[in-house]
Structures are given as structure tokens and as C-alpha cells.
Amino acid sequence: MSKAPLFLRSSPVQDPGSYGAFPVHDQSFNDNYGGDISDDTDDVRRRDRRKLDESAIKQAGLGDGFRLRPSGGRSRSPISRAQVVDECVESRRLCRNMKSPSRISMAESSTTRDELSDTERLGRDYNGLWSESPTVAASGIELDRRMSSVTSNEEDSNSSDEATNLKIYDTSNWDEEDPPDNSPYPQVRASVSAIDNTSLSINTPRMWTLSLVFSFLGSATNLFFSLRYPSVSITPVIALLLVHPLGLLWDKFLKRHDDPKESFVDGVREERFPLCYGRHPESGPDEALLAERTASPSSTRAQTSPDGTNMRSIESSSGWTRKLRLWMAQGRWNEKEHSCVYISSNVSFGFAFATDVIVEQARFYHQDPGIVYQILLTLSTQILGYTFAGLTRRYLVRPGGMIWPGTLMSTAMFTTLHKQENLVANGWRISRWRFFLLVWIGGFAFYFLPGMLIPALSYFNIITWISPDNVVVANLFGVRSGLGLFPVTFDWSQIAYIGSPLLTPFWAAMNVVGGLVIVMWIIAPILYYSNFLFSAYMPILSSSVFDNTGRQYDVSKILTSDFRFDKEAYQKYSRVYLPITYVLSYAVQFASLTALITHTGFWHGNDIWNQWKRSLNEDRGVAKGNYDPLTNMTGDNTETLNDHRTFSRSRSSKRRKSGATSESGPENLMGGEDVHSRLMKRYKDAPISWYLWTFILMTALGIFLVEYYPVYLPWYGLLLALAICGLLFIPIGIVMAITNQHSSIYLICQLICGVVFPGRPVANMVFVTYGYISSAQGIKFASDLKLGHYMKIPPRLLFSVQMVATVVSSLTQIGVLNWMFRNIPGICTPEALNGFTCPIARVHFNGSILWGVVGPRRFFGPGATYRPLVWAFAVGAIAPIGVWWMGRGKKKSMWKKINLPVLFGSLSWIPPATGLNFSVWALVCYLFNYVIRRRAPDWWGKYTMTLSAALDSGLAFALVVVFFGFIYPGWMDSFSWWGTEVYKQGCDWRACSYKTVTPGEHFGPDKW
């Protein structure tokens, strides 16, 4: 007996191409999805089935007059496969441009579902067919459009058994905003819509103009101020907010009420309108549709818009100004265009790390990097990261378990700005937009206190104010050079220094706090006060390195005039010594590297392997994936439905009934796709060959660069850097996608290059750029790909948006950098005009000297001071195995919540972050993502992401206003009172050490 879906045809007075589709329902579906049809009471069974039929018909929009014929109806007449193919070809010819389904509208019909032809079963969606109304592609039941279904069911199509087993899905409790395969993660459901409006415009002049403008302005501004101290940065959140009124103004000035209606397919405007868009309003449905079906394409399809406007007459009568205005005014400003502009800003606003390498070469190593070298270095390092993100989409973007918490703030912002819905949440009736506006204004205004008028509120080390010169008190409770054991601050920039605590899952925050308490609050004081590795002669926390007298290390004393290592001068001067927190930071970074590999292998190895095998079995020649329906067919569709059941319903059915929330676990995160992955299959995917060829081209440019220019890095060194990035990219991405914590490979790249290519500081910088920056940029690009995934941006268009933004921002930054070299006197020197001393570039320069000149062997080799830190690699490799062993096979185990790469890797922020940044961050995360989430889940779901966006954006705007409006002009230079000075008085601000060195003496060995 065939279990293919039965179709419902419209009445004869409606469009003969309009069909509704309802999948077959069986008892297994009820068992898995929470249905409860009793086997003991036939009346209950019949009543429930009648309710299911009626609710599904009502949901489909079939009208109250439509009724299902009882089981036992007549069978369909036989139909040949040749006839099916002929009818299908004709249907596709008429509607070949039809991409977006909409809801169907049917009147009363006496035709049963049994009488439909096989052609009519080929590809119409339940969500709809074309109509004159705007298209909304909901996330409900869809039919598979594959021709294989005709072949597989051809023999069963003549069977009358199909008509005697009429069953449909239980759709009575389904909600478009919360479909069965919706994400099981509450933070995703609270921020991302499960509906895709496929009628929205995306690829418009408005979107491209705003994207290019913000890419240019943001990248130029941030590069300019990155060379200044103190600095300020323009964050993409500012672009997200500023571009919205600009988009609305664009429509206000360019749109007219009499403009012809437009239709968009995959975000692109169709220049000609096919017949399938619906009926002409001025004619009857039957006559209009019959005329369209019989007329020649050239006489009707090319001339008529959905509202009946003759497009050819418009074009002939329009002047060039009207044509230009209509072209500029395509579509309407909407959340998808807004997303593309934001993604462009996110790509371009962060200044390219390659510009620091250029600054170091030009100003510190006194080389002359030409403009071609600068462009090739910047473009190749930026775009290589994009290729890594694109090549790993099936692991880091498409699986529903890869939630990328950092993107949820943006999606919440788009919902706040573009949606008008307002549901009551635990008694709160205020809309998201008003809530955002009030918090934004409050956060913006309040920052003037800790940011300018009372800085003591930011550095609220009140315990040290009682005894400012007590070294131990400053070490333990200080917030600048201490461990921050008193976690109080009134500055959101301090709270969110390591990332917004509202976006991090509570279990991940507990891993971070666990590492802080064990490593920095317990181990660090014990080692420090026992003078382990001479650490008591230095501050307990500092980002500087020191010599054997307790002073900051003077790198210039160990360099020759041509910036090469002077071994004799090094032996006369001093070894390099690190504060204890710096030592432990290196140790946990070493452990994090090996723990990342081991943890990923044991917890996610099966997922990665299965995903790899699945990718090998896919047809790479198909540019557009199949739109998997939520059907209950036999064959291939059974696997589709089972995937949705396994991934979503098994985790969320209990949650839907009880209101409980779910947390992500470490297993089976790639085991299924949610509604967002299913909806994205509507669009043509960006072929993997695009990313492969881009990778090959950029690698070739990089090889040319290191071989032709005086970088002193051989071509195989470049390949080694890319291999390190490629090996660790997926593990780093998985950790970032589920915890919002980034694991850096900056240090390991420095170490490996220092060992393999010693004495080559420039080579060390370039190696780190291609290894670390390709990874960091790739993770950022992957995050943007997930944002596009959530917002349903067509992948090919998203590829173009990100690539164009990358090229524009790279060329802009090169131009601004060279302008600054020529027009700012004394740039990158202590005497530079207006503070343009290049502080970030100088820190990286010092790192290149330490690791590229002094080298890792003198730090960690035999007989070196910090040789014991090498054991951290072994600890990081072994520890995750024990955690996995304790948690395996247990559904609810505390061990599954322990993520050692997060525990170790997050502490790499220290220094420059302090214990205050971590402790107060964890307290806020506990308050919102544990207490409020459990006690007021509706409030948490509605407002938390909006709150994070409001606080972050309000802070960003306040920083810009305070800096440019008050500090930069010098208006605050003479402003001083108790609130601006009290936190600076004492050992916390001076970074006092527990032990001091007598003048003329030193600590440590006499020879090295």
C-alpha cells in the first residue's frame, strides 16, 4: 500500500494549478510527536481524527465549506509516466521562475484527494501556491519536489487502498512561529523567527550603497584610531542602529504610491513577471487564468505585473529619471537588507591585523613595504579566513546545535526594529522596541558617570581605598593590577570586557568561573607568595615583561642597529621574566590547545566523521539543495522526518508541555538540522568550488609574497601556518559556536615559528598573520554565515556581500594607513602628534622580538626558567579524556557540562583582563541566564537579547560621544576631583610587587 501524501485539489472555479498537500499520518507519528489517540475508545479516535482533518484544512485556508470524503472513496484512474513527465514539463515551463510559495485559497469542493493526477503530486507545497498577496513561506509542512517520488510510487498510484487509509498530520497544535522542527534551544527560539518571508527584497541598490558606505567609513575610522592612544573603536552595533533610519529615509524619498508592484525571487527583482504570480484583479479568476495559460509567453507573461499593470507601457512611457528612481527604489527596507548591511559592517569594521605588520615593518624595522606588498598581504590574510569558514559550513553553520550565541543579539535587534509583535511576558506588556529604547537611553546617559565624571565607579576597588599602600590588599582586591576578589563595578564596559554575559550560556560561564577560581584565585596567590619562578619581585598581574631588577624589559638593549638579536648584549642585560598570572596564562593556553583537540575528538568525533561521510555521498553537481518537507512518506522522506524527530521533537516535546528550558549538551550537536536549515534549502547554495578556488588563489598570492619580498619566511612556512589554522579551525569553531568563547592560537603560532624559524622577527609576524588571523577572521566569517543562516539570506548573495566588503575595507585601510604615514608628523614615536604612538603595533613588535629574536628555546628549552610550563601540553591532552570517561553514556551528568577548552582558553584574556572582568561578568550571567531564565522564562525569552543589544549599542555611542565630544578636544584635561583620583592612589594603580630588589642587585641566576 502506498503511503505517499494525498493531495487536495481546488474547485473548478479556482486556479487549476492550485493544489494543497497533506502528508499521511500514522500512529508512529503520534507516538513521537506527543499525540495521544486512544486505542480503547473508537469514538475518541473518530472525534480526534475529525478535529485533525478540520484543523489542517482550516490552517491550509481551504475554507469552511471544504469537507473530506470518508474513507473508502474511489481510486484514481491510471496514468502513464510519459503523461506525467509531459504535464510536468508544461507546468515547469509556465512557472519556471516561481520560487516563493504562498498560502492557497480554495472554495468549497466536492473533489476528493483520490482524484488528483500524479503530475499534481509533483511539487506543490502545503505552505502554498502563488497568489496576489505577499509571500510568506512558513515553516510548516512542505512536499518534496523530487521527481523520484513519481517513480517510487508509480505502481501504487493505481491502488484503491490509498483511499481507504486517509490520515493526516496533527496540525491542530502547530504554530508557524514554533514548528515541530524548531530549534530546541530557548535562546534561539527567543531571538530567531521560524518563518522565512521569501518575498522580501535583498539584492537592491539600497542594500549595496549602504553596505559600501558603512564598510568604507567604519574601516577607515577604526584603522585611524587604532594607531592612537587612548583609542576608540566604532563597533558594528553602531552601524546596525544608524543604518535603519537611513534605509527608511531612502524609501521615504524614492518610493511613490503609484509605483508598479514588484516581485522578488531569492531577494532579486524579476524584470518580467510570470503568470504564476496570481490572478488579474480586474477579471474573473477562470477567464484570466485560462487566458494566461493559453496565451503566448511573449504577449502576456512579459508584460503583466501581479496587479495587472502593463509593464511594457510603463517602460515605454517612462523617462530616464523615472527609470533611475524605480531602479534605486527597488523593494522595501526590511530585515534581510538590514542583515546584509550589518554583515558588511561586521566584516569590515575590525582593522586588519596585516596593517600592524606593515606598521612594524615600516616604522620599527625601517623596511619599505611597497603598496603592492601591502595590498597582497592584507587581501590574502583577510580572504583566507573566509575560505576556511566557507569550507566548514556543514560542520559549523548548518547544524542546529551550532547556535553561535553572539549572533543572537543581532537577530533580536532585527526583530525589535522590524517586527510589531508584542506578547505579554510574565506580566510585562512593554514592546521590545520601547524596552530597547528606554534601556539604550539609560545606558547611554549613565556611561557619562563612570566614563567621564566619576571614573571611580568603573574602577570600584573600594577595599584598597581603605589601605591604599597595603601590597597584599592591592594584590588580592585590586581591579587594575590585582586579582579582583571584590567583584563590583558600575561600568558596562568592564562587565562586558570579555563579551556580553547575557549571550553566554550559564553552563559555559561556570566553566570560565571555575577556571578563574582554581587557576587565578587559588593557584596564583599560592605560587606568588612562595616566590615561584621569582614572581614575587613583579606585580601579581601585568601585561608587561620584566628584567631581573623588577623593571619593564627594555627590548632595545638586546637588538643590533639593524634589529637583529645581539646574544652578547642579552647575556649582559637580563633574561626575560613574566608575572605569575602571565605564566599561568601561558600554561592554560598550552593546555587549551591540546585539550581542544582531545575534547573535540572524544565528544564530537563521531559527529564530524558522520558529517564528512554524508558530504561525500551528496551530489556535488546540484547547485540548489532539496527543500526537505516535514512529510511522512516512505523511502527518502522517512529519513528526513526521522531526522527532524530525532533532533527536535525528542528534545523539545517535554519542554513544550511543561515550559522547561533545555541546554545544549556536548553530544550529537551535528546530528540533525532544524527549521532554519530546512528553510535555507529553498535557496541555491554557494558551491564549495567557489571557496576552494578562492583558497587556492589566495594561497598562491601568499606564496608569491613571502618568496618575492624580504619577509624571510619560506613558502613551506606559509603552508605550515595554514595547516595549523586548518587543523584547529573546526575545534575552535565548535567551542565558539556553543559557548561564545574564542580559543586563540596566537601564542602557539608564535612558538612554532620561533622554534622552526628562529631569529626571524618579520617572518614570525607574517607567520602569525597567516596562521592566527586566518583562524580569527574565519571564525568571525563563520559567525556571519550563521547570522545569514538565521536571517535566511541566500548563500550566493551572502558570499558576494562578504567578499565585496572584505575587498573594500582592505583597500580602504591601506589607503588610510599610507595617508597617515605621509601626513602625521612623528607617527609611531613617543613624540607623535596627538598621541599617534601606534600602541598596538608596538606590543606586537615586542612580541616578535621576544618570540622571533630571543626565541622559545630561551624561554622553554632545557635549563630555561619556564621549562616546567611544557608539561601543560600533557595535562591539556589527558584531562578531557577523564572528563569524557566520567560523563559518557549518562544523559544527565555534571561531567557533560565541563568543557576544558573553555575553562583553559578563556583565561587567555588575563592579562590584560583582570579578575574583576571575569567575576562580575559571571555574576550578571548567573542573574539573567540562570535565576531569571528559570523564574521568568517568558520575560527572559522576550527581553534578554534585546537588553544586551541596548546596553552594548548605548555604550558604543556613549564612548564615541565622550571621546570625540569631550576628551579629544581637551575639555576634560583640567577636570579633577575626588571621583577622578581616588582609585589611582595606592598600590593597585602603581602595580606594586610583594618583594623588591635592593638597588645594584638583581634576582635570578647570575649567568644564562
Side-chain angles (χ1 to χ4, degrees):
M1 181 186 71
S2 171
K3 289 188 178 180
L6 303 179
F7 285 67
L8 302 176
R9 183 163 55 186
S10 64
S11 67
V13 299
Q14 294 293 334
D15 182 355
S18 300
Y19 298 92
F22 292 90
V24 178
H25 171 71
D26 61 11
Q27 187 62 39
S28 63
F29 179 85
N30 264 16
D31 294 339
N32 284 312
Y33 276 62
D36 187 18
I37 300 179
S38 172
D39 292 331
D40 299 330
T41 308
D42 292 339
D43 292 339
V44 174
R45 290 172 60 89
R46 285 191 295 269
R47 182 191 63 194
D48 288 346
R49 288 184 178 180
R50 184 172 61 254
K51 288 182 178 179
L52 301 184
D53 293 350
E54 293 174 355
S55 62
I57 292 169
K58 184 176 181 180
Q59 184 175 353
L62 303 185
D64 296 332
F66 194 98
R67 293 292 182 267
L68 294 178
R69 178 171 292 184
S71 61
R74 64 185 180 182
S75 61
R76 293 190 309 271
S77 58
I79 186 171
S80 67
R81 177 170 176 78
Q83 185 178 353
V84 170
V85 173
D86 290 342
E87 292 183 18
C88 180
V89 170
E90 176 63 12
S91 176
R92 289 180 178 177
R93 185 187 69 79
L94 290 174
C95 301
R96 61 181 181 270
N97 291 324
M98 182 176 66
K99 301 288 180 70
S100 305
S102 64
R103 296 206 172 277
I104 55 177
S105 177
M106 300 181 182
E108 180 176 351
S109 173
S110 60
T111 305
T112 65
R113 288 176 284 185
D114 309 323
E115 297 177 329
L116 297 183
S117 68
D118 284 359
T119 304
E120 297 162 345
R121 291 193 291 117
L122 281 179
R124 292 302 186 123
D125 297 337
Y126 154 77
N127 280 349
L129 309 169
W130 296 100
S131 70
E132 65 275 7
S133 60
T135 302
V136 176
S139 56
I141 313 170
E142 298 262 347
L143 288 183
D144 194 353
R145 300 183 178 186
R146 291 173 290 189
M147 280 290 294
S148 60
S149 63
V150 177
T151 305
S152 63
N153 296 316
E154 187 173 4
E155 294 182 358
D156 293 334
S157 64
N158 303 327
S159 174
S160 62
D161 293 339
E162 187 173 346
T164 62
N165 291 274
L166 179 60
K167 301 175 183 178
I168 62 174
Y169 281 153
D170 179 5
T171 60
S172 57
N173 295 323
W174 287 12
D175 183 4
E176 291 179 354
E177 287 285 356
D178 194 12
D181 61 340
N182 201 359
S183 174
Y185 303 96
Q187 57 268 50
V188 177
R189 296 193 303 272
S191 306
V192 185
S193 174
I195 294 178
D196 179 20
N197 189 344
T198 59
S199 68
L200 296 179
S201 60
I202 309 175
N203 191 8
T204 64
R206 175 180 48 249
M207 185 275 290
W208 282 110
T209 301
L210 295 176
S211 295
L212 293 177
V213 167
F214 276 85
S215 296
F216 174 81
L217 295 178
S219 59
T221 303
N222 282 341
L223 186 278
F224 183 83
F225 284 103
S226 70
L227 302 185
R228 187 183 186 277
Y229 182 83
S231 183
V232 66
S233 63
I234 308 299
T235 66
V237 176
I238 295 179
L240 189 153
L241 293 174
L242 283 180
V243 75
H244 184 56
L246 294 179
L248 296 176
L249 286 174
W250 185 293
D251 288 348
K252 181 177 179 61
F253 286 110
L254 292 179
K255 302 292 288 188
R256 302 290 185 270
H257 70 279
D258 58 343
D259 287 347
K261 290 186 178 180
E262 301 169 307
S263 64
F264 291 83
V265 174
D266 290 355
V268 181
R269 186 179 70 171
E270 287 194 313
E271 296 300 330
R272 294 292 184 268
F273 297 89
L275 296 178
C276 310
Y277 277 91
R279 302 185 300 274
H280 294 300
E282 67 271 19
S283 61
D286 280 313
E287 293 79 8
L289 286 168
L290 288 174
E292 291 175 348
R293 297 295 171 112
T294 56
S296 63
S298 60
S299 63
T300 57
R301 183 173 57 211
Q303 299 180 15
T304 308
S305 67
D307 61 348
T309 306
N310 189 298
M311 297 300 296
R312 182 168 294 176
S313 62
I314 290 177
E315 293 179 359
S316 61
S317 62
S318 300
W320 69 269
T321 55
R322 174 177 169 84
K323 291 179 180 179
L324 177 62
R325 184 186 62 77
L326 290 176
W327 180 78
M328 294 288 290
Q330 293 180 36
R332 286 281 182 181
W333 177 247
N334 58 76
E335 59 267 26
K336 291 194 177 185
E337 290 189 27
H338 200 166
S339 302
C340 288
V341 178
Y342 174 74
I343 289 173
S344 297
S345 303
N346 211 21
V347 167
S348 56
F349 272 34
F351 70 92
F353 187 86
T355 58
D356 263 355
V357 176
I358 296 169
V359 170
E360 294 161 38
Q361 289 182 269
R363 295 300 164 181
F364 301 146
Y365 287 110
H366 302 291
Q367 294 181 341
D368 184 19
I371 192 68
V372 176
Y373 168 84
Q374 298 178 37
I375 292 175
L376 292 180
L377 179 66
T378 306
L379 283 177
S380 59
T381 53
Q382 294 290 97
I383 295 178
L384 274 171
Y386 187 38
T387 62
F388 280 108
L391 293 172
T392 58
R393 289 170 297 168
R394 67 179 69 254
Y395 306 100
L396 302 180
V397 177
R398 293 171 184 165
M402 303 290 105
I403 62 176
W404 291 91
T407 65
L408 300 181
M409 181 203 73
S410 305
T411 58
M413 279 295 304
F414 296 134
T415 301
T416 299
L417 295 174
H418 293 274
K419 303 295 183 182
Q420 302 298 324
E421 59 184 7
N422 183 27
L423 302 177
V424 178
N426 295 110
W428 284 57
R429 298 180 179 273
I430 185 173
S431 67
R432 284 182 175 182
W433 170 243
R434 291 193 61 192
F435 180 81
F436 169 85
L437 191 62
L438 292 176
V439 174
W440 190 93
I441 294 174
F444 174 85
F446 184 80
Y447 179 75
F448 281 78
L449 297 179
M452 185 175 67
L453 301 177
I454 317 175
L457 295 177
S458 179
Y459 299 94
F460 200 70
N461 49 353
I462 187 171
I463 296 181
T464 64
W465 302 350
I466 301 173
S467 181
D469 294 324
N470 189 311
V471 176
V472 176
V473 171
N475 291 159
L476 298 180
F477 298 99
V479 298
R480 189 171 187 267
S481 64
L483 299 179
L485 292 178
F486 183 69
V488 176
T489 182
F490 299 93
D491 186 357
W492 181 252
S493 65
Q494 292 275 25
I495 298 172
Y497 184 79
I498 61 173
S500 174
L502 306 182
L503 303 180
T504 303
F506 176 68
W507 67 270
M510 290 302 97
N511 280 274
V512 175
V513 173
L516 172 71
V517 172
I518 295 172
V519 177
M520 295 299 174
W521 286 359
I522 296 178
I523 297 178
I526 293 175
L527 296 180
Y528 182 73
Y529 292 115
S530 62
N531 198 26
F532 180 68
L533 300 178
F534 311 105
S535 58
Y537 291 98
M538 294 166 279
I540 193 171
L541 188 148
S542 175
S543 57
S544 301
V545 294
F546 297 84
D547 59 21
N548 55 11
T549 64
R551 297 185 177 90
Q552 291 189 13
Y553 201 89
D554 188 353
V555 178
S556 63
K557 291 184 177 181
I558 62 172
L559 295 177
T560 62
S561 58
D562 58 351
F563 289 89
R564 295 185 180 274
F565 178 64
D566 190 337
K567 183 176 180 180
E568 182 179 352
Y570 173 74
Q571 292 176 343
K572 291 180 179 179
Y573 177 38
S574 172
R575 279 184 172 181
V576 179
Y577 291 93
L578 306 175
I580 191 61
T581 49
Y582 219 142
V583 172
L584 293 175
S585 178
Y586 277 155
V588 295
Q589 288 184 69
F590 293 162
S592 174
L593 177 67
T594 51
L596 184 66
I597 299 173
T598 308
H599 174 90
T600 304
F602 278 86
W603 285 112
H604 309 294
N606 288 334
D607 289 342
I608 296 174
W609 176 247
N610 291 334
Q611 198 78 347
W612 172 255
K613 290 192 298 182
R614 189 179 308 168
S615 66
L616 293 179
N617 295 330
E618 290 180 354
D619 184 5
R620 301 179 187 275
V622 178
K624 181 174 181 177
N626 291 325
Y627 179 41
D628 291 341
L630 284 178
T631 59
N632 193 19
M633 294 179 176
T634 58
D636 294 338
N637 288 340
T638 301
E639 181 180 356
T640 300
L641 179 58
N642 288 337
D643 285 344
H644 291 306
R645 288 175 180 172
T646 301
F647 174 70
S648 181
R649 270 297 176 179
S650 61
R651 299 197 203 181
S652 60
S653 60
K654 294 182 179 179
R655 179 261 306 168
R656 295 179 193 276
K657 294 180 180 180
S658 63
T661 56
S662 62
E663 287 283 8
S664 58
E667 297 176 300
N668 197 32
L669 291 175
M670 301 180 189
E673 295 181 345
D674 58 7
V675 62
H676 308 294
S677 297
R678 179 166 58 82
L679 292 176
M680 281 299 292
K681 290 183 179 180
R682 296 178 181 276
Y683 306 106
K684 290 182 179 180
D685 197 10
I688 197 171
S689 59
W690 291 9
Y691 297 97
L692 284 173
W693 282 111
T694 304
F695 176 80
I696 293 172
L697 176 61
M698 293 300 106
T699 302
L701 290 179
I703 292 175
F704 168 77
L705 183 143
V706 299
E707 289 293 330
Y708 183 79
Y709 293 96
V711 175
Y712 311 111
L713 179 68
W715 62 270
Y716 53 86
L718 172 66
L719 297 182
L720 176 61
L722 295 179
I724 295 172
C725 174
L727 177 65
L728 299 175
F729 189 80
I730 290 179
I732 293 173
I734 291 175
V735 172
M736 183 69 179
I738 64 179
T739 68
N740 203 37
Q741 298 296 313
H742 182 250
S743 299
S744 173
I745 60 172
Y746 181 82
L747 178 59
I748 196 64
C749 287
Q750 286 184 314
L751 292 178
I752 292 177
C753 185
V755 171
V756 179
F757 308 108
R760 305 182 187 182
V762 177
N764 193 283
M765 293 188 303
V766 175
F767 186 94
V768 170
T769 303
Y770 277 101
Y772 164 68
I773 294 303
S774 295
S775 170
Q777 284 293 109
I779 294 300
K780 181 190 295 185
F781 281 124
S783 176
D784 289 336
L785 287 175
K786 189 66 177 185
L787 177 58
H789 186 83
Y790 281 147
M791 299 304 298
K792 315 304 179 298
I793 308 298
R796 295 190 175 196
L797 178 59
L798 186 58
F799 179 93
S800 301
V801 168
Q802 290 185 292
M803 193 66 69
V804 170
T806 302
V807 173
V808 169
S809 63
S810 298
L811 297 178
T812 299
Q813 293 186 48
I814 293 299
V816 172
L817 181 63
N818 284 271
W819 180 89
M820 296 177 71
F821 283 164
R822 290 174 173 81
N823 293 277
I824 297 181
I827 188 171
C828 298
T829 65
E831 296 79 23
L833 177 68
N834 203 15
F836 285 96
T837 58
C838 309
I840 301 176
R842 185 167 293 277
V843 170
H844 293 155
F845 166 71
N846 292 337
S848 70
I849 295 298
L850 294 176
W851 303 113
V853 178
V854 177
R857 296 182 186 275
R858 293 183 175 89
F859 276 96
F860 309 110
T865 305
Y866 300 105
R867 175 70 173 179
L869 296 185
V870 176
W871 288 101
F873 287 105
V875 173
I878 297 173
I881 300 177
V883 174
W884 172 81
W885 181 267
M886 297 299 295
R888 67 189 184 97
K890 302 175 182 178
K891 294 183 178 180
K892 295 183 179 180
S893 174
M894 178 195 69
W895 296 99
K896 288 190 174 183
K897 299 296 184 182
I898 298 177
N899 191 308
L900 292 180
V902 173
L903 190 150
F904 293 141
S906 60
L907 297 182
S908 63
W909 282 90
I910 299 178
T914 68
L916 171 71
N917 301 124
F918 281 88
S919 55
V920 71
W921 172 86
L923 285 177
V924 175
C925 182
Y926 168 77
L927 175 63
F928 282 91
N929 292 347
Y930 185 81
V931 176
I932 295 180
R933 179 175 167 180
R934 289 179 176 270
R935 296 183 180 180
D938 293 337
W939 189 100
W940 181 90
K942 182 178 181 180
Y943 295 115
T944 300
M945 300 303 167
T946 304
L947 175 64
S948 177
L951 291 173
D952 287 347
S953 57
L955 171 65
F957 269 95
L959 279 169
V960 173
V961 172
V962 168
F963 182 81
F964 287 105
F966 298 93
I967 296 178
Y968 185 77
W971 293 356
M972 304 301 295
D973 291 346
S974 59
F975 179 74
S976 177
W977 69 295
W978 176 87
T980 63
E981 304 299 327
V982 62
Y983 64 96
K984 300 178 182 179
Q985 300 172 1
C987 279
D988 180 31
W989 196 258
R990 298 197 306 265
C992 301
S993 60
Y994 184 63
K995 291 186 176 183
T996 57
V997 179
T998 304
E1001 297 184 358
H1002 66 272
F1003 60 84
D1006 295 327
K1007 295 182 179 181
W1008 48 89

